[in-house]
Amino acid sequence: MKTENYTGVREFIFQGFTSFHEHKLTLFVVFLTLYLLTLSGNVIIVTIISIDRHLHTPMYFFLTALSTSETLYTLVIVPRMLSSLVGLSQPISLAGCATQMFFFITLAINNCFLLTAMGYDRYVAICNPLRYMIIMNKRVCAQLVWGACSIGLFVATIQISSVFRLPFCYRKVAHYFCDIRPVMKLSCANTTIHDIINFLISSLVIVVPMVLVFISYVLIISTILKIASAEGRKKAFATCASHLTVVIVHYGCASIAYLKPKSENMRDQDQLISVTYTVSTPLLNPVVYTLRNKEVKDALCRAIVLFLTSFSHTLCSSERLPPGTWSGAAHQVESW
């Protein structure tokens, strides 16, 4: 690779999916579909939780925060990735790269600690149900969300300060966004210390919340097993299944991506792992919490019924149709 004077490197070029050049159009269609499903799914979740008073509980407050964070997370990365797949990619300045990396790190860490807060919420709900609303009051919930965001901002500031102090000799980023490792490889300085710092920070922000979540679930499962009735155990497991599914996939992908040893010959594998946690995992949140969660499905049905009813009244008043024209459709939705 041609070395450039680092004082002249003012912008980077993403190499993107060069190994999959023949399948770029297919990848574009697949990623665009997943992206639109992620955005629409998270918007629906936030909207339903906001308008349905039955979902104004700590669990759904955290779910709203997670859905919002996931939406912003995909907005930081996916649009530029899609443009590169159709040949519209433009070079990104150092400042632009630093900005993208800052928001990526902030939101990724925020998601990790929000999942931890949700694990604690489930622990209190099942292990200490009589004091649940006292312990998980509005102030505590807001503090947990603010704490998750603050940790993300703090770590991102440290990481950005560390990476962008390096002198850069190369312009081509072997990735589709400004991730830490691919950008550090462009430096002409020795990055050993930075690699160690990056690994330690990654270990802390992934392993610590992951351990806390699994401790919560050990306590939760031990409490559930003590429930006398089979129906009670089934209901308790059902309330945790959605969150546990998201936790396993999220922390699993993050661990593989950032805690595995550095390798020079695994670029394609690294990109596939990155696609999993930047495109696929954000979609998992709305899918799991809508398809597996009865309360959200019921709230969605109520919203559809309300919409059909309002639409019926509006149409009837404007066109003077019989009042029962749309009642059958609304009744069918409600029954479903």
Side-chain angles (χ1 to χ4, degrees):
M1 187 183 293
K2 182 181 177 182
T3 304
E4 302 178 32
N5 185 334
Y6 71 83
T7 58
V9 177
R10 292 288 178 266
E11 60 186 20
F12 295 136
I13 299 172
F14 296 123
Q15 290 184 311
F17 300 91
T18 52
S19 300
F20 304 94
H21 182 74
E22 297 178 355
H23 307 287
K24 280 191 172 182
L25 183 58
T26 303
L27 290 175
F28 174 79
V29 173
V30 171
F31 293 159
L32 178 61
T33 302
L34 292 175
Y35 178 57
L36 293 177
L37 287 173
T38 300
L39 290 182
S40 57
N42 281 312
V43 168
I44 288 171
I45 283 181
V46 172
T47 304
I48 291 298
I49 292 174
S50 300
I51 64 176
D52 196 304
R53 60 183 179 81
H54 297 90
L55 301 181
H56 291 177
T57 63
M59 174 181 171
Y60 294 105
F61 173 75
F62 291 125
L63 180 56
T64 299
L66 182 63
S67 294
T68 303
S69 182
E70 293 278 23
T71 302
L72 296 175
Y73 178 77
T74 55
L75 287 172
V76 168
I77 297 168
V78 179
R80 183 175 280 272
M81 179 188 73
L82 292 173
S83 66
S84 69
L85 286 171
V86 292
L88 300 176
S89 180
Q90 298 293 325
I92 186 169
S93 65
L94 286 179
C97 184
T99 302
Q100 186 187 51
M101 188 184 293
F102 176 82
F103 283 107
F104 164 71
I105 295 171
T106 299
L107 294 167
I109 294 173
N110 182 50
N111 293 343
C112 284
F113 282 93
L114 281 176
L115 288 172
T116 307
M118 293 173 76
Y120 176 68
D121 172 73
R122 293 298 82 205
Y123 161 74
V124 176
I126 292 173
C127 299
N128 203 349
L130 297 179
R131 301 189 65 234
Y132 175 64
M133 294 309 297
I134 298 173
I135 296 173
M136 300 302 296
N137 56 60
K138 291 183 179 180
R139 181 180 177 183
V140 170
C141 293
Q143 287 174 342
L144 287 171
V145 171
W146 173 243
C149 185
S150 299
I151 293 171
L153 289 168
F154 177 70
V155 173
T157 302
I158 293 174
Q159 293 280 60
I160 297 299
S161 301
S162 172
V163 172
F164 286 89
R165 283 179 181 174
L166 294 169
F168 295 107
C169 296
Y170 310 104
R171 299 179 64 211
K172 294 184 178 180
V173 182
H175 211 355
Y176 57 87
F177 72 98
C178 286
D179 203 355
I180 297 173
R181 279 186 178 177
V183 171
M184 285 203 299
K185 288 180 181 179
L186 305 181
S187 174
C188 39
N190 188 337
T191 62
T192 303
I193 299 298
H194 294 80
D195 288 332
I196 293 172
I197 293 172
N198 179 48
F199 178 78
L200 291 174
I201 291 176
S202 298
S203 299
L204 286 173
V205 299
I206 294 173
V207 174
V208 170
M210 183 168 60
V211 169
L212 292 174
V213 169
F214 284 114
I215 289 173
S216 297
Y217 273 97
V218 168
L219 297 173
I220 287 170
I221 292 170
S222 65
T223 301
I224 291 175
L225 294 176
K226 295 176 184 176
I227 298 175
S229 67
E231 185 64 27
R233 288 195 298 271
K234 182 180 178 181
K235 185 176 180 180
F237 273 120
T239 62
C240 300
S242 301
H243 179 249
L244 192 56
T245 302
V246 175
V247 163
I248 291 171
V249 175
H250 183 92
Y251 287 125
C253 292
S255 299
I256 294 171
Y258 292 101
L259 301 183
K260 68 180 180 62
K262 185 170 63 173
S263 173
E264 299 292 335
N265 302 313
M266 299 177 68
R267 177 184 161 189
D268 292 346
Q269 181 181 332
D270 290 344
Q271 284 194 338
L272 290 175
I273 294 170
S274 298
V275 166
T276 302
Y277 68 77
T278 57
V279 180
S280 303
T281 304
L283 178 60
L284 187 67
N285 180 36
V287 168
V288 167
Y289 279 103
T290 52
L291 295 182
R292 291 184 58 88
N293 192 301
K294 186 177 183 300
E295 289 180 330
V296 175
K297 286 193 290 186
D298 290 346
L300 184 59
C301 290
R302 285 194 293 269
I304 294 173
V305 170
L306 181 63
F307 170 76
L308 290 176
T309 304
S310 301
F311 181 71
S312 172
H313 288 313
T314 303
L315 198 62
C316 290
S317 61
S318 61
E319 299 187 12
R320 296 185 180 180
L321 295 175
T325 303
W326 292 91
S327 61
H331 178 71
Q332 288 180 0
V333 172
E334 190 170 12
S335 299
W336 178 77

